[in-house]
Amino acid sequence: MLRITRRAGERVIVGGDVVIEVLEVRGAMVRLGIDAPRSVSIYREELWLEIKQENEAAASAPDQLPALPEGVPTLPEDLPTLKPE
């Protein structure tokens, strides 16, 4: 991991097209500004981990849904028809 010390107003360039600027330092809080192309996804770590976990759960879900209980209509022709009065 590269560790860089920056002060408010200073920037770091990543890959030539992503600019990260330290906007403000107040105690233990640091505000960053990120300028990147729209094609670059930027997430806070806690959101990224949540999205990753949900994607893994979806990918490991069964390919088929469980069978419906007996007597539950599955196709429109199995549904009762309403007759006009």
Side-chain angles (χ1 to χ4, degrees):
M1 173 188 295
L2 175 64
R3 295 174 190 254
I4 299 174
T5 302
R6 300 276 75 196
R7 292 187 174 97
E10 296 181 331
R11 299 175 174 188
V12 175
I13 310 295
V14 180
D17 58 354
V18 177
V19 179
I20 302 171
E21 181 177 353
V22 178
L23 299 176
E24 179 182 10
V25 179
R26 189 180 296 175
M29 294 291 286
V30 177
R31 290 186 60 216
L32 300 174
I34 302 171
D35 185 15
R38 287 197 177 272
S39 60
V40 175
S41 298
I42 301 171
Y43 298 96
R44 295 189 329 244
E45 181 183 29
E46 63 274 15
L47 293 178
W48 173 255
L49 293 174
E50 186 177 321
I51 291 167
K52 182 179 170 188
Q53 190 174 41
E54 288 177 9
N55 286 343
E56 288 170 353
S60 65
D63 289 341
Q64 292 185 338
L65 296 173
L68 291 172
E70 284 282 324
V72 174
T74 57
L75 298 174
E77 56 265 12
D78 295 336
L79 296 172
T81 57
L82 297 175
K83 296 184 181 183
E85 295 180 13

